[in-house]
Amino acid sequence: MIYRVEEHFLGHLSINLLGKGKYMSPRHFIDTQDFSKQELLDIIELTRLIKAADKQGCTPHLLKDASLAMIFEEPSTRTRVSFEVAMTELGGHALYLKPGEIHLGVRESMYDTAKVLSRMCDAIFARTLKHETITSLAAYAEVPVINGLTDYNHPTQAVCDVITMIEHVPAGKQLEDLRVAFIGDATNVLSSLMSVCTKMGMHFIHAAPQKYQAPAEWQAWALENCRVSGGSVLITDDPAAAVQDADFIYTDLWWWVGQEDQIPERRAAFMPTYQVNKELFAKAPAHCKFMHCLPASRGVEATDDVMDHPRSIIFDQSENRLHTEKGLLVYFIYHHLQHPSDELRAFHKGRIENFLNAVLRDSR
């Protein structure tokens, strides 16, 4: 089905959001578990419409003059660049706030920070070390808050991944037919990917040593997603079996921030059985694509001959982060903006110019 953005999405958003206007009950993007399959499909279709416009140099300035506060507690390449470029190309502005530059819970309460940013910006993006930080921001903010990664999940990446899969669906298959094999540690990326895939009704397999498999809590909500969507989830310690019928093989880093002291133990547990190398890749169907959210430790969780293989789509994923951020920003911000008429703009411009002219005339 083909939609017109003005008639379906921008109209649909005003129904989904609890209110219209900057301080009217914003909806946040913290976890894909908070959204229905249809809502996620709407975000995905909106993103694809905006991407189609991008490719013809016609990105609409749907967020003209809007401002996004971007809070980073750790470094980033794809997330920072994609959100900053997205806001610029949508006609808005992104403000980069790195550690030490604002009082995020230090010398100022989280409540006060959220309230101040809400009065000055139209949305807040945050990449935080602890998931509780972003949930606190969302609890107090009066503008939409977008999760750019925490120690628990990475929902913007997950939406991007589904968009990338849609673009590479094998001939004759629907989204619900797809089998995704995640090989590696139970990372924040696994959490979100398992959530969105099972929401979509896809078939998701996680292969890892037992100690590093998705915890019981994650498996419980994934199974509930499957009950509703018709998808499936399987946890195994056999990577060869996991990739046997896979349409997509996905992997991520084996250790993350704060786990540096575990590197020897983790490397021993995963290497070489869970490394995505040409031998493991060869066990998958001939159409299977390789995915990685990046950054990667090349030669560790995946080898160069897989990452640079013709069936690797890791850089399609990276590009789609930009398009995904545009879709998310429009979806969550657009109806919280004022959209004054040209007549109202001209009225205020005239009042201000008349005042300035009078002041200048009197000062001569």
Side-chain angles (χ1 to χ4, degrees):
M1 183 179 294
I2 298 174
Y3 300 91
R4 288 184 58 199
V5 173
E6 313 94 280
E7 294 179 356
H8 177 69
F9 288 103
L10 301 185
H12 181 62
L13 299 188
S14 63
I15 297 172
N16 275 346
L17 294 171
L18 296 177
K20 184 175 180 179
K22 188 169 182 179
Y23 304 109
M24 298 293 290
S25 302
R27 191 170 186 189
H28 309 296
F29 188 67
I30 305 300
D31 191 335
T32 55
Q33 284 295 107
D34 299 332
F35 295 82
S36 69
K37 177 180 179 179
Q38 187 56 55
E39 288 171 328
L40 292 169
L41 287 173
D42 283 347
I43 293 171
I44 288 166
E45 185 65 13
L46 175 60
T47 299
R48 297 183 72 199
L49 289 170
I50 296 173
K51 180 176 179 178
D54 291 347
K55 292 300 184 180
Q56 295 188 329
C58 303
T59 306
H61 285 181
L62 295 168
L63 301 184
K64 181 175 171 55
D65 300 329
S67 293
L68 174 69
M70 300 197 308
I71 300 171
F72 283 88
E73 286 193 321
E74 60 179 351
S76 167
T77 299
R78 279 147 296 279
T79 302
R80 179 185 173 182
V81 173
S82 61
F83 271 99
E84 193 160 333
V85 172
M87 280 299 291
T88 299
E89 293 188 355
L90 288 167
H93 169 71
L95 181 64
Y96 176 58
L97 304 172
K98 66 182 181 181
E101 290 189 343
I102 62 171
H103 307 299
L104 186 66
V106 179
R107 296 183 59 212
E108 181 175 68
S109 70
M110 194 73 69
Y111 177 90
D112 289 353
T113 297
K115 294 298 183 184
V116 168
L117 291 178
S118 295
R119 295 301 180 96
M120 295 184 179
C121 299
D122 298 289
I124 301 169
F125 155 91
R127 165 168 284 202
T128 61
L129 293 171
K130 296 296 182 184
H131 193 70
E132 293 78 8
T133 303
I134 199 158
T135 56
S136 295
L137 276 172
Y140 305 135
E142 297 169 345
V143 295
V145 173
I146 297 175
N147 177 0
L149 182 145
T150 69
D151 59 344
Y152 167 61
N153 67 356
H154 196 358
T156 60
Q157 180 67 54
V159 173
C160 164
D161 292 337
V162 174
I163 291 169
T164 307
M165 291 176 197
I166 289 172
E167 293 176 344
H168 292 276
V169 170
K173 288 199 173 189
Q174 303 289 330
L175 183 64
E176 292 80 5
D177 299 325
L178 297 181
R179 300 184 68 84
V180 180
F182 186 98
I183 313 298
D185 187 27
T187 62
N188 43 20
V189 171
L190 171 72
S191 169
S192 291
L193 189 66
M194 185 188 310
S195 168
V196 77
C197 286
T198 53
K199 281 268 184 180
M200 292 292 111
M202 297 157 68
H203 306 282
F204 190 84
I205 307 101
H206 178 210
Q210 187 171 1
K211 181 178 179 179
Y212 301 100
Q213 292 174 359
E217 179 186 356
W218 299 9
Q219 295 183 42
W221 49 245
L223 286 169
E224 177 59 21
N225 287 350
C226 293
R227 187 189 66 78
V228 175
S229 70
S232 67
V233 61
L234 173 67
I235 311 298
T236 180
D237 60 1
D238 187 344
V243 306
Q244 183 176 356
D245 298 313
D247 298 298
F248 298 93
I249 296 175
Y250 200 124
T251 193
D252 191 11
L253 298 166
W254 290 345
W255 51 83
W256 194 243
V257 177
Q259 298 176 334
E260 291 82 2
D261 61 329
Q262 302 173 28
I263 290 176
E265 177 186 352
R266 287 172 167 269
R267 186 187 289 271
F270 285 101
M271 187 73 82
T273 306
Y274 298 92
Q275 182 186 66
V276 183
N277 49 38
K278 63 181 181 180
E279 289 78 20
L280 183 60
F281 200 34
K283 296 180 186 298
H287 67 266
C288 182
K289 302 293 195 301
F290 174 73
M291 302 179 71
H292 194 307
C293 57
L294 303 180
S297 295
R298 283 177 172 259
V300 181
E301 70 270 12
T303 54
D304 287 352
D305 51 11
V306 173
M307 295 190 68
D308 300 324
H309 193 278
R311 287 188 280 119
S312 170
I313 54 174
I314 60 176
F315 297 119
D316 290 353
Q317 281 178 271
S318 291
E319 179 191 335
N320 278 337
R321 285 299 303 278
L322 172 61
H323 306 299
T324 300
E325 318 314 19
K326 288 180 182 178
L328 289 167
L329 289 166
V330 171
Y331 188 92
F332 288 96
I333 298 175
Y334 180 85
H335 270 290
H336 287 278
L337 299 177
Q338 296 186 57
H339 302 282
S341 65
D342 291 340
E343 291 78 12
L344 185 59
R345 289 180 183 275
F347 167 74
H348 284 290
K349 181 174 181 289
R351 290 183 70 195
I352 294 167
E353 288 179 342
N354 288 339
F355 174 80
L356 289 172
N357 289 335
V359 169
L360 290 173
R361 184 172 58 250
D362 294 342
S363 66
R364 290 172 181 167

